[in-house]
Amino acid sequence: MAGTRKVTVSTDAHGHTAGWSEAPSAPATTVPPDPTAAAFFDVDNTMMQGASIYWFARGLAARKYFTTGDLARFAWQQARFRLLATEHAGDMSQAKEAALAFVQGWRVDDIERLADEIFDELMAPRIWAGTRRLAQRHLDAGERVWLVSAAPVEIGRVIAARLGLTGAIGTVAEVVDGAYTGRLVGDLMHGPAKAEAVTQLAAVEGLDLDRCAAYSDSANDLPMLSAVGRAVAVNPDPALLRQAREQGWDVRDFRTGRRAVRIAVPSTAAAGLVAGAVTAGLALHRRRHREA
């Protein structure tokens, strides 16, 4: 998979930029394709228990890219953010700045290689089987299935490929000569940006949004859920659960017992916080490498 980055970037009439990337190989199916229907799945706490960028960071920590102390501080911060249930503009700004610092200087093939390894080690055991079955139903019906995540689109694409899905919509970082420049193309894939990206993808791919479905755990994704004909709340937070009941949306909760009361991590807060910790660790790793 390394070195095969193919990201489609689209900008609409309002200047909103979105990016998506298909998985390296299309899902095998004997069902005739349905060209106008698709399903869009949030990743963090919807398809996977926890935040994908957090598990990616765990894998980096295991490889000595940064310390376990950095990871512990992030774990405490993410719990605090969820308890406060706040994602203010300042937090979003910090998340974007951290994302910029996180990717700067990294090669695309290194990110994809590490994500591929870390998926097997830490992400695969945390895929919600119930959500995976929901995605498979769409594939079995000949529909395309896209992941939608605030994580870098390369990480989303690796997850989509390993799950046999169509591809991923995610945050896009600028790449020059195979390496990240530290600048984003568009904004962090969060909140309204997800709905805009889904709408742009539908226009390019000829999808009928009224025939499409979207799945998420968070009220932050209400714009995306409202953009399609069928919205499903998966492992919903309290705000989304209230909205789903008011709108008559389907609710699927795959958490049981103690899992059901665990506090999940908001994807944007996770992306910003972990990127900050990873950034410091990567800087230290690069400095040690130069001194060695």
Side-chain angles (χ1 to χ4, degrees), residues 27 58-59 73 97 125 134 144 156 160 214 242-243 252 282 284:
R58 281 279 299 269
R73 282 190 292 275
E97 290 176 4
L134 292 175
R144 284 167 283 182
R242 287 193 299 271
Q243 187 71 18
R252 305 295 180 92
L282 292 179
L284 177 61

Side-chain angles (χ1 to χ4, degrees), residues 109-162:
D109 52 4
D110 286 335
I111 287 286
E112 291 196 333
R113 173 181 56 79
L114 288 166
D116 203 44
E117 295 174 5
I118 293 168
F119 179 87
D120 288 331
E121 297 169 10
L122 297 173
M123 298 181 188
R126 292 170 173 86
I127 297 296
W128 292 109
T131 309
R132 181 66 187 85
R133 286 193 296 270
L134 292 175
Q136 188 61 47
R137 290 177 188 174
H138 288 281
L139 294 174
D140 292 343
E143 301 174 10
R144 284 167 283 182
V145 177
W146 294 85
L147 298 179
V148 188
S149 174
V153 68
E154 285 79 18
I155 294 178
R157 187 173 78 125
V158 168
I159 298 171
R162 301 306 297 274

Side-chain angles (χ1 to χ4, degrees), residues 36-42 138 143-144 146 148 169 194-202 207-216 221-233 247 249-250:
T36 63
F40 301 93
F41 284 79
D42 171 55
H138 288 281
E143 301 174 10
R144 284 167 283 182
W146 294 85
V148 188
I169 299 172
K194 288 188 178 182
E196 292 159 6
V198 165
T199 300
Q200 290 181 53
L201 177 64
L207 299 172
D208 179 355
L209 285 177
D210 288 338
R211 299 193 63 237
C212 293
Y215 300 76
S216 178
D221 288 338
L222 282 172
M224 179 178 74
L225 294 168
S226 301
V228 298
R230 179 170 178 251
V232 182
Q247 299 291 335
W249 294 343
D250 289 345

